[in-house]
Coordinates of all heavy atoms in Angstrom, one line a residue:
P277 N 109.9 50.1 109.7 CA 108.7 50.9 109.8 C 108.7 52.2 109.0 O 107.8 52.6 108.3 CB 108.4 51.1 111.2 CG 109.3 50.2 112.0 CD 110.4 49.8 111.0
A278 N 109.9 52.8 109.0 CA 110.0 54.1 108.3 C 110.0 53.9 106.8 O 109.4 54.7 106.0 CB 111.3 54.8 108.7
V279 N 110.6 52.8 106.3 CA 110.6 52.5 104.9 C 109.2 52.1 104.4 O 108.7 52.6 103.3 CB 111.6 51.4 104.6 CG1 111.5 50.9 103.1 CG2 113.0 51.8 104.9
A280 N 108.5 51.4 105.2 CA 107.1 51.0 104.8 C 106.2 52.2 104.8 O 105.3 52.3 103.9 CB 106.6 49.9 105.8
S281 N 106.4 53.1 105.7 CA 105.6 54.3 105.8 C 105.8 55.2 104.5 O 104.9 55.7 103.9 CB 105.9 55.1 107.0 OG 105.2 56.3 107.0
A282 N 107.1 55.3 104.1 CA 107.4 56.1 103.0 C 106.9 55.4 101.7 O 106.4 56.1 100.8 CB 109.0 56.2 102.8
M283 N 106.9 54.1 101.6 CA 106.4 53.4 100.4 C 104.8 53.6 100.4 O 104.3 53.8 99.3 CB 106.7 51.9 100.5 CG 108.2 51.7 100.2 SD 108.6 49.9 100.2 CE 107.6 49.3 98.9
A284 N 104.2 53.5 101.5 CA 102.7 53.7 101.6 C 102.4 55.1 101.2 O 101.4 55.3 100.5 CB 102.2 53.4 103.0
S285 N 103.2 56.1 101.6 CA 102.9 57.5 101.2 C 103.1 57.7 99.7 O 102.3 58.3 99.1 CB 103.9 58.4 102.0 OG 103.7 59.7 101.5
R286 N 104.1 57.1 99.1 CA 104.3 57.2 97.7 C 103.2 56.5 96.9 O 102.8 57.0 95.9 CB 105.7 56.6 97.3 CG 106.8 57.6 97.4 CD 108.1 57.1 96.9 NE 109.0 56.8 98.0 CZ 109.7 55.7 98.2 NH1 109.7 54.8 97.3 NH2 110.4 55.5 99.3
R287 N 102.7 55.4 97.4 CA 101.7 54.6 96.8 C 100.4 55.5 96.8 O 99.7 55.5 95.8 CB 101.5 53.3 97.5 CG 100.4 52.4 96.8 CD 100.3 51.1 97.4 NE 101.5 50.3 97.3 CZ 102.1 49.7 98.3 NH1 101.5 49.7 99.5 NH2 103.2 49.0 98.1
R288 N 100.1 56.1 97.9 CA 98.9 56.9 98.0 C 99.0 58.1 97.1 O 98.0 58.5 96.4 CB 98.7 57.5 99.5 CG 98.0 56.5 100.4 CD 97.6 57.2 101.7 NE 98.7 57.8 102.4 CZ 99.4 57.2 103.3 NH1 99.2 55.9 103.6 NH2 100.4 57.8 103.9
Q289 N 100.2 58.7 97.0 CA 100.3 59.8 96.1 C 100.2 59.4 94.6 O 99.6 60.1 93.8 CB 101.7 60.5 96.3 CG 101.9 61.7 95.4 CD 103.3 62.3 95.7 OE1 104.2 61.7 96.3 NE2 103.5 63.5 95.1
A290 N 100.7 58.2 94.3 CA 100.6 57.7 92.9 C 99.1 57.4 92.6 O 98.7 57.7 91.5 CB 101.5 56.5 92.7
C291 N 98.4 56.9 93.5 CA 97.0 56.6 93.3 C 96.2 57.9 93.1 O 95.3 57.9 92.3 CB 96.4 55.7 94.4 SG 97.0 54.0 94.4
A292 N 96.5 58.9 93.9 CA 95.8 60.1 93.8 C 96.1 60.8 92.4 O 95.2 61.3 91.8 CB 96.2 61.1 94.9
Q293 N 97.3 60.7 92.0 CA 97.6 61.3 90.7 C 97.0 60.5 89.5 O 96.5 61.1 88.6 CB 99.2 61.4 90.5 CG 99.8 62.4 91.3 CD 101.3 62.4 91.2 OE1 101.9 61.5 90.7 NE2 102.0 63.5 91.7
L294 N 96.9 59.2 89.7 CA 96.2 58.4 88.7 C 94.7 58.8 88.6 O 94.2 58.9 87.5 CB 96.4 56.9 88.9 CG 95.8 56.0 88.0 CD1 96.4 56.1 86.6 CD2 95.9 54.6 88.5
W295 N 94.1 58.9 89.8 CA 92.7 59.3 89.8 C 92.5 60.6 89.2 O 91.5 60.8 88.4 CB 92.2 59.3 91.3 CG 90.8 59.5 91.4 CD1 89.8 58.6 91.3 CD2 90.2 60.8 91.6 NE1 88.6 59.2 91.4 CE2 88.8 60.6 91.6 CE3 90.6 62.1 91.8 CZ2 87.9 61.6 91.8 CZ3 89.7 63.1 92.0 CH2 88.4 62.8 92.0
I296 N 93.3 61.6 89.5 CA 93.2 62.9 88.9 C 93.3 62.8 87.4 O 92.5 63.4 86.6 CB 94.2 63.9 89.5 CG1 93.8 64.2 90.9 CG2 94.3 65.2 88.7 CD1 94.9 64.9 91.7
H297 N 94.3 62.1 86.9 CA 94.5 61.9 85.4 C 93.3 61.3 84.8 O 92.8 61.7 83.7 CB 95.7 61.1 85.2 CG 96.2 61.1 83.8 ND1 96.0 60.1 83.0 CD2 97.0 62.1 83.2 CE1 96.6 60.4 81.8 NE2 97.1 61.6 81.9
Q298 N 92.7 60.2 85.4 CA 91.6 59.6 84.8 C 90.3 60.5 84.8 O 89.5 60.5 83.9 CB 91.3 58.3 85.5 CG 92.3 57.2 85.2 CD 92.1 55.9 86.0 OE1 91.3 55.9 86.9 NE2 92.8 54.9 85.6
A299 N 90.2 61.3 85.9 CA 89.0 62.2 86.0 C 89.1 63.3 84.9 O 88.1 63.6 84.3 CB 89.0 62.9 87.4
L300 N 90.4 63.7 84.6 CA 90.5 64.7 83.5 C 90.2 64.1 82.2 O 89.6 64.8 81.3 CB 92.0 65.3 83.5 CG 92.3 66.2 84.7 CD1 93.8 66.5 84.6 CD2 91.5 67.5 84.5
I301 N 90.6 62.9 81.9 CA 90.3 62.3 80.7 C 88.8 62.1 80.5 O 88.2 62.3 79.5 CB 91.0 60.9 80.5 CG1 92.5 61.2 80.4 CG2 90.5 60.1 79.4 CD1 93.4 59.9 80.4
L302 N 88.1 61.6 81.6 CA 86.7 61.4 81.5 C 85.9 62.7 81.3 O 85.0 62.8 80.4 CB 86.2 60.8 82.8 CG 84.8 60.3 82.8 CD1 84.5 59.2 81.8 CD2 84.4 59.8 84.2
N303 N 86.4 63.8 82.0 CA 85.8 65.1 81.8 C 86.0 65.6 80.3 O 85.1 66.1 79.7 CB 86.3 66.1 82.7 CG 85.8 66.0 84.1 OD1 84.8 65.4 84.3 ND2 86.5 66.5 85.1
L304 N 87.2 65.4 79.8 CA 87.5 65.8 78.5 C 86.6 65.1 77.4 O 86.0 65.7 76.6 CB 88.9 65.5 78.1 CG 89.4 65.7 76.7 CD1 89.3 67.2 76.4 CD2 90.8 65.3 76.5
I305 N 86.4 63.8 77.6 CA 85.5 63.0 76.7 C 84.1 63.5 76.8 O 83.5 63.8 75.7 CB 85.7 61.5 77.0 CG1 87.1 61.0 76.6 CG2 84.6 60.7 76.2 CD1 87.4 59.6 77.1
F306 N 83.5 63.6 78.0 CA 82.1 63.9 78.1 C 81.9 65.4 77.7 O 80.9 65.6 76.9 CB 81.7 63.8 79.6 CG 81.4 62.4 80.0 CD1 81.6 62.0 81.3 CD2 81.0 61.4 79.0 CE1 81.4 60.7 81.6 CE2 80.8 60.1 79.4 CZ 81.0 59.7 80.7
L307 N 82.7 66.3 78.1 CA 82.5 67.7 77.7 C 82.7 67.9 76.2 O 82.0 68.7 75.6 CB 83.5 68.6 78.5 CG 83.1 68.8 79.9 CD1 84.3 69.5 80.6 CD2 81.8 69.5 80.1
G308 N 83.6 67.2 75.6 CA 83.8 67.3 74.2 C 82.6 66.8 73.4 O 82.1 67.5 72.5
F309 N 82.1 65.7 73.8 CA 80.9 65.1 73.1 C 79.7 66.0 73.3 O 78.9 66.3 72.4 CB 80.5 63.7 73.6 CG 81.4 62.7 73.1 CD1 81.8 61.6 73.8 CD2 81.8 62.7 71.7 CE1 82.6 60.6 73.3 CE2 82.6 61.7 71.2 CZ 83.0 60.6 72.0
V310 N 79.5 66.5 74.5 CA 78.3 67.4 74.8 C 78.5 68.7 74.0 O 77.5 69.2 73.4 CB 78.2 67.7 76.3 CG1 77.2 68.8 76.5 CG2 77.7 66.5 77.0
G311 N 79.7 69.3 74.0 CA 79.9 70.5 73.2 C 79.6 70.4 71.7 O 79.0 71.2 71.1
I312 N 80.2 69.3 71.2 CA 80.0 69.1 69.7 C 78.5 68.8 69.4 O 78.0 69.2 68.4 CB 81.0 68.0 69.3 CG1 82.4 68.5 69.3 CG2 80.6 67.5 67.8 CD1 83.4 67.5 69.1
H313 N 77.9 68.0 70.3 CA 76.5 67.6 70.1 C 75.6 68.9 70.2 O 74.6 69.0 69.4 CB 76.1 66.6 71.1 CG 74.8 66.0 70.8 ND1 74.5 65.2 69.7 CD2 73.6 66.0 71.6 CE1 73.2 64.8 69.8 NE2 72.7 65.3 70.9
A314 N 76.0 69.8 71.1 CA 75.2 71.0 71.2 C 75.3 71.9 70.0 O 74.4 72.6 69.6 CB 75.6 71.8 72.5
L315 N 76.5 71.9 69.3 CA 76.6 72.7 68.1 C 75.9 72.0 66.9 O 75.3 72.7 66.1 CB 78.1 72.8 67.8 CG 78.9 73.8 68.6 CD1 80.4 73.8 68.2 CD2 78.4 75.2 68.3
C316 N 76.0 70.7 66.8 CA 75.5 70.0 65.6 C 74.0 69.7 65.7 O 73.3 69.8 64.7 CB 76.2 68.7 65.4 SG 78.0 68.9 65.1
D317 N 73.5 69.4 66.9 CA 72.1 68.9 67.0 C 71.5 69.5 68.3 O 71.2 68.7 69.2 CB 72.0 67.4 66.9 CG 70.6 66.9 66.7 OD1 69.7 67.8 66.4 OD2 70.4 65.7 66.7
P318 N 71.2 70.8 68.4 CA 70.7 71.3 69.6 C 69.3 70.9 70.0 O 69.0 70.8 71.1 CB 70.8 72.9 69.4 CG 70.8 73.1 68.0 CD 71.5 71.8 67.4
E319 N 68.5 70.6 69.0 CA 67.1 70.2 69.3 C 67.1 68.9 70.0 O 66.3 68.7 70.9 CB 66.3 70.1 68.0 CG 66.0 71.5 67.3 CD 67.2 71.9 66.4 OE1 68.1 71.1 66.1 OE2 67.2 73.1 66.1
R320 N 67.9 68.0 69.6 CA 67.9 66.6 70.2 C 68.4 66.7 71.6 O 67.9 66.0 72.5 CB 68.8 65.7 69.3 CG 68.7 64.3 69.8 CD 69.6 63.5 69.0 NE 68.9 62.3 68.5 CZ 69.5 61.4 67.8 NH1 70.7 61.5 67.3 NH2 68.8 60.3 67.4
L321 N 69.5 67.5 71.8 CA 70.0 67.7 73.2 C 69.0 68.4 74.1 O 68.8 68.0 75.2 CB 71.3 68.5 73.1 CG 72.1 68.6 74.4 CD1 72.5 67.2 74.9 CD2 73.3 69.5 74.2
A322 N 68.3 69.4 73.6 CA 67.2 70.0 74.4 C 66.1 69.0 74.7 O 65.6 69.0 75.9 CB 66.7 71.2 73.6
S323 N 65.7 68.1 73.8 CA 64.7 67.2 74.1 C 65.2 66.1 75.1 O 64.4 65.7 75.9 CB 64.2 66.5 72.8 OG 65.2 65.7 72.2
S324 N 66.5 65.8 75.1 CA 67.0 64.8 76.1 C 67.0 65.5 77.4 O 66.8 64.8 78.4 CB 68.3 64.3 75.6 OG 69.3 65.3 75.7
V325 N 67.3 66.7 77.5 CA 67.2 67.4 78.8 C 65.8 67.5 79.3 O 65.6 67.3 80.5 CB 67.8 68.9 78.7 CG1 67.6 69.7 79.9 CG2 69.3 68.8 78.4
Q326 N 64.9 67.8 78.4 CA 63.5 67.8 78.8 C 63.0 66.4 79.3 O 62.3 66.3 80.3 CB 62.6 68.3 77.7 CG 62.7 69.7 77.4 CD 61.9 70.1 76.2 OE1 61.4 69.3 75.4 NE2 61.8 71.4 75.9
A327 N 63.5 65.4 78.7 CA 63.1 64.0 79.1 C 63.8 63.7 80.4 O 63.2 63.0 81.2 CB 63.6 63.0 78.0
G328 N 64.9 64.3 80.7 CA 65.6 64.1 82.0 C 64.8 64.7 83.1 O 64.9 64.2 84.3
Y329 N 64.1 65.8 82.8 CA 63.3 66.4 83.9 C 61.9 65.8 84.0 O 61.1 66.2 84.8 CB 63.1 67.9 83.5 CG 64.3 68.7 84.0 CD1 65.1 69.3 83.0 CD2 64.5 69.0 85.3 CE1 66.2 70.1 83.4 CE2 65.6 69.7 85.7 CZ 66.4 70.3 84.7 OH 67.5 71.0 85.1
G330 N 61.7 64.7 83.3 CA 60.4 64.0 83.4 C 59.4 64.4 82.4 O 58.2 63.9 82.5
S331 N 59.6 65.2 81.5 CA 58.7 65.6 80.5 C 58.6 64.5 79.4 O 59.6 63.8 79.1 CB 59.1 66.9 79.8 OG 59.2 67.9 80.7
E332 N 57.4 64.3 78.9 CA 57.2 63.4 77.8 C 57.8 64.0 76.5 O 57.4 65.1 76.2 CB 55.8 63.0 77.6 CG 55.2 62.1 78.7 CD 55.9 60.8 78.8 OE1 56.2 60.2 77.7 OE2 56.1 60.3 79.9
V333 N 58.7 63.3 75.9 CA 59.3 63.9 74.7 C 58.3 64.2 73.6 O 58.4 65.1 72.8 CB 60.5 63.0 74.2 CG1 61.1 63.6 73.0 CG2 61.5 62.8 75.3
E334 N 57.3 63.3 73.4 CA 56.4 63.4 72.3 C 55.4 64.6 72.6 O 54.9 65.2 71.7 CB 55.5 62.1 72.2 CG 56.3 60.9 71.7 CD 57.0 60.2 72.9 OE1 56.5 60.3 74.0 OE2 58.1 59.6 72.7
L335 N 55.2 64.9 73.8 CA 54.2 65.9 74.2 C 54.8 67.3 74.2 O 54.1 68.3 73.9 CB 53.5 65.6 75.5 CG 52.8 64.3 75.6 CD1 52.2 64.1 77.0 CD2 51.6 64.3 74.6
V336 N 56.1 67.4 74.5 CA 56.7 68.7 74.7 C 57.5 69.0 73.4 O 58.4 68.2 73.1 CB 57.6 68.8 75.9 CG1 58.3 70.1 76.0 CG2 56.8 68.5 77.2
S337 N 57.2 70.1 72.7 CA 58.0 70.4 71.6 C 59.2 71.3 72.0 O 59.1 72.1 72.9 CB 57.1 71.1 70.5 OG 56.7 72.3 71.1
V338 N 60.3 71.2 71.2 CA 61.4 72.0 71.5 C 61.3 73.3 70.7 O 61.1 73.3 69.5 CB 62.7 71.2 71.0 CG1 63.9 72.1 71.2 CG2 62.9 69.9 71.7
T339 N 61.3 74.4 71.5 CA 61.1 75.7 70.9 C 62.5 76.2 70.3 O 63.5 75.7 70.6 CB 60.6 76.7 71.9 OG1 61.5 76.9 73.0 CG2 59.3 76.2 72.5
R340 N 62.4 77.3 69.6 CA 63.6 77.9 69.1 C 64.5 78.5 70.2 O 65.7 78.4 70.2 CB 63.2 79.1 68.1 CG 64.4 79.7 67.5 CD 64.0 80.7 66.5 NE 65.2 81.4 66.0 CZ 65.2 82.6 65.5 NH1 64.1 83.3 65.5 NH2 66.3 83.1 65.1
L341 N 63.8 79.0 71.3 CA 64.5 79.4 72.5 C 65.4 78.3 73.1 O 66.5 78.5 73.4 CB 63.6 80.1 73.5 CG 64.2 80.5 74.8 CD1 65.2 81.6 74.5 CD2 63.2 80.9 75.8
D342 N 64.7 77.1 73.2 CA 65.5 76.0 73.8 C 66.7 75.7 72.9 O 67.8 75.4 73.5 CB 64.5 74.8 73.8 CG 63.4 74.9 74.8 OD1 63.6 75.7 75.8 OD2 62.3 74.3 74.6
S343 N 66.5 75.6 71.6 CA 67.6 75.3 70.7 C 68.7 76.4 70.8 O 69.9 76.0 70.8 CB 67.1 75.2 69.3 OG 66.2 74.2 69.1
D344 N 68.3 77.6 70.9 CA 69.3 78.7 71.0 C 70.1 78.6 72.3 O 71.3 78.9 72.3 CB 68.7 80.1 70.8 CG 68.2 80.3 69.4 OD1 68.7 79.6 68.5 OD2 67.4 81.2 69.2
L345 N 69.4 78.3 73.4 CA 70.1 78.2 74.7 C 71.1 77.0 74.7 O 72.2 77.2 75.2 CB 69.0 78.0 75.8 CG 68.2 79.2 76.2 CD1 67.1 78.8 77.2 CD2 69.1 80.3 76.8
V346 N 70.7 75.9 74.1 CA 71.6 74.8 74.0 C 72.8 75.1 73.1 O 74.0 74.9 73.5 CB 70.9 73.5 73.4 CG1 71.9 72.4 73.1 CG2 69.9 73.0 74.4
R347 N 72.5 75.8 72.0 CA 73.6 76.2 71.1 C 74.6 77.2 71.7 O 75.8 77.1 71.5 CB 73.1 76.7 69.8 CG 74.1 76.9 68.7 CD 73.5 77.3 67.4 NE 72.6 76.3 66.8 CZ 71.3 76.4 66.6 NH1 70.7 77.5 66.9 NH2 70.6 75.5 66.0
S348 N 74.0 78.1 72.5 CA 74.9 79.1 73.2 C 75.7 78.5 74.3 O 76.8 79.1 74.7 CB 74.0 80.2 73.7 OG 73.3 79.8 74.8
S349 N 75.4 77.3 74.8 CA 76.2 76.7 75.8 C 77.4 75.9 75.3 O 78.3 75.5 76.0 CB 75.4 75.8 76.7 OG 75.0 74.6 76.0
A350 N 77.4 75.7 73.9 CA 78.4 74.9 73.3 C 79.8 75.5 73.4 O 80.8 74.8 73.8 CB 78.1 74.6 71.9
P351 N 80.0 76.8 73.2 CA 81.4 77.3 73.3 C 81.9 77.2 74.7 O 83.1 76.9 74.9 CB 81.2 78.8 72.9 CG 80.0 78.8 72.0 CD 79.1 77.8 72.6
A352 N 81.1 77.5 75.7 CA 81.6 77.3 77.1 C 82.0 75.9 77.4 O 83.0 75.6 78.1 CB 80.5 77.9 78.1
T353 N 81.2 75.0 76.9 CA 81.5 73.5 77.2 C 82.8 73.1 76.5 O 83.6 72.5 77.1 CB 80.3 72.7 76.6 OG1 79.1 73.1 77.3 CG2 80.5 71.2 76.9
L354 N 83.0 73.6 75.3 CA 84.2 73.3 74.6 C 85.4 74.0 75.2 O 86.5 73.4 75.2 CB 84.1 73.6 73.1 CG 83.1 72.7 72.3 CD1 82.9 73.3 70.9 CD2 83.6 71.3 72.3
A355 N 85.2 75.2 75.8 CA 86.3 75.8 76.5 C 86.7 75.1 77.7 O 87.9 75.0 78.0 CB 85.9 77.3 76.8
I356 N 85.8 74.5 78.5 CA 86.1 73.7 79.6 C 86.8 72.5 79.2 O 87.7 72.0 79.9 CB 84.8 73.5 80.5 CG1 84.3 74.8 81.1 CG2 85.1 72.5 81.6 CD1 83.0 74.7 81.7
A357 N 86.4 71.9 78.1 CA 87.0 70.7 77.6 C 88.5 71.0 77.2 O 89.4 70.2 77.4 CB 86.3 70.1 76.4
F358 N 88.7 72.2 76.6 CA 90.1 72.6 76.3 C 90.9 72.7 77.6 O 92.1 72.4 77.6 CB 90.0 73.9 75.5 CG 91.4 74.5 75.3 CD1 92.2 73.9 74.3 CD2 91.9 75.6 76.0 CE1 93.5 74.5 74.1 CE2 93.1 76.1 75.8 CZ 93.9 75.5 74.8
V359 N 90.3 73.3 78.6 CA 91.1 73.4 79.9 C 91.5 72.0 80.4 O 92.6 71.8 80.9 CB 90.3 74.2 80.9 CG1 90.9 74.1 82.3 CG2 90.1 75.6 80.5
C360 N 90.6 71.1 80.3 CA 90.9 69.7 80.7 C 92.0 69.1 79.9 O 92.9 68.4 80.4 CB 89.6 68.8 80.7 SG 88.4 69.2 81.9
A361 N 91.9 69.3 78.5 CA 92.9 68.8 77.6 C 94.3 69.4 77.9 O 95.3 68.7 77.9 CB 92.5 69.1 76.2
R362 N 94.3 70.7 78.2 CA 95.6 71.4 78.6 C 96.1 70.9 79.9 O 97.4 70.7 80.0 CB 95.3 72.9 78.6 CG 96.6 73.7 78.7 CD 96.4 75.1 78.8 NE 95.9 75.4 80.1 CZ 95.6 76.6 80.6 NH1 95.7 77.6 79.8 NH2 95.1 76.8 81.8
A363 N 95.3 70.5 80.8 CA 95.7 70.0 82.1 C 96.4 68.6 81.9 O 97.2 68.2 82.7 CB 94.6 70.0 83.1
L364 N 95.9 67.9 80.9 CA 96.5 66.6 80.7 C 98.0 66.7 80.2 O 98.8 65.7 80.5 CB 95.7 65.8 79.6 CG 94.4 65.3 80.1 CD1 93.6 64.7 78.9 CD2 94.6 64.2 81.2
W365 N 98.4 67.8 79.6 CA 99.7 67.9 79.1 C 100.7 68.4 80.2 O 101.9 68.4 80.0 CB 99.7 68.8 77.9 CG 99.5 68.0 76.7 CD1 100.5 67.6 75.8 CD2 98.3 67.6 76.1 NE1 99.9 66.9 74.8 CE2 98.6 66.9 74.9 CE3 97.0 67.8 76.5 CZ2 97.6 66.3 74.1 CZ3 96.0 67.2 75.7 CH2 96.3 66.5 74.5
R366 N 100.2 68.7 81.3 CA 101.1 69.1 82.4 C 101.8 67.9 83.0 O 101.3 66.8 82.9 CB 100.3 69.8 83.5 CG 99.8 71.2 83.2 CD 99.2 71.8 84.4 NE 98.7 73.2 84.0 CZ 98.0 73.9 84.8 NH1 97.6 73.4 86.0 NH2 97.6 75.1 84.5
P367 N 103.0 68.1 83.6 CA 103.6 67.0 84.2 C 102.8 66.5 85.4 O 102.0 67.3 86.0 CB 105.0 67.5 84.6 CG 104.9 69.0 84.6 CD 103.8 69.3 83.6
L368 N 103.0 65.3 85.8 CA 102.2 64.7 86.9 C 102.4 65.5 88.2 O 101.5 65.6 89.0 CB 102.6 63.3 87.2 CG 102.1 62.3 86.2 CD1 102.6 60.9 86.5 CD2 100.6 62.3 86.2
D369 N 103.5 66.1 88.4 CA 103.7 66.9 89.7 C 102.9 68.2 89.7 O 102.5 68.7 90.7 CB 105.2 67.3 89.8 CG 106.1 66.0 90.0 OD1 105.6 65.0 90.5 OD2 107.3 66.1 89.7
G370 N 102.5 68.7 88.5 CA 101.7 69.9 88.4 C 100.2 69.7 88.6 O 99.5 70.6 88.7
K371 N 99.8 68.4 88.6 CA 98.4 68.1 88.7 C 98.0 67.9 90.1 O 98.6 67.2 90.9 CB 98.1 66.8 87.9 CG 98.3 66.9 86.4 CD 98.0 65.6 85.8 CE 98.3 65.7 84.3 NZ 98.3 64.5 83.6
R372 N 97.0 68.7 90.5 CA 96.5 68.6 91.9 C 95.0 68.8 91.9 O 94.4 69.3 91.1 CB 97.2 69.5 92.9 CG 97.6 70.8 92.4 CD 98.4 71.6 93.4 NE 98.8 72.8 92.7 CZ 98.5 74.0 93.2 NH1 97.7 74.1 94.2 NH2 98.8 75.1 92.5

């Protein structure tokens, strides 16, 4: 019973570490794409956000303020992606 309990504990810990690793990779991919897209094409990203709120894309025009707000969020998004990338290089014991 003690050996089985220790194996189950190690298995749970390995699954948790794998889940954390996969979550970091997914965050890195999504944040990287959003950050680069916000820098390259802020009007399109702003219109997709407006569409997500239920606005008709054809009826609502993207203003310069909308584009500037999207463009200004790009550095913060890329910084968070960098933090995720740096966390991937840590050893598995350091990930929690």
Side-chain angles (χ1 to χ4, degrees):
V279 174
S281 176
M283 287 180 64
S285 175
R286 275 189 252 134
R287 186 176 296 132
R288 277 193 302 270
Q289 184 180 9
C291 286
Q293 288 177 345
L294 179 65
W295 184 84
I296 291 169
H297 194 259
Q298 289 178 346
L300 286 172
I301 290 173
L302 188 65
N303 285 339
L304 174 64
I305 291 169
F306 285 149
L307 289 171
F309 282 144
V310 167
I312 291 170
H313 190 65
L315 282 175
C316 297
D317 194 9
E319 291 84 14
R320 187 182 228 181
L321 189 60
S323 67
S324 68
V325 169
Q326 288 176 350
Y329 278 111
S331 301
E332 290 295 324
V333 178
E334 294 83 28
L335 300 177
V336 178
S337 63
V338 177
T339 63
R340 183 174 176 210
L341 176 64
D342 294 331
S343 297
D344 289 344
L345 286 173
V346 170
R347 192 176 291 117
S348 70
S349 69
T353 304
L354 292 174
I356 294 172
F358 174 75
V359 170
C360 289
R362 193 180 71 178
L364 285 173
W365 271 263
R366 288 186 178 170
L368 283 176
D369 294 335
K371 295 177 184 174
R372 37 183 175 120

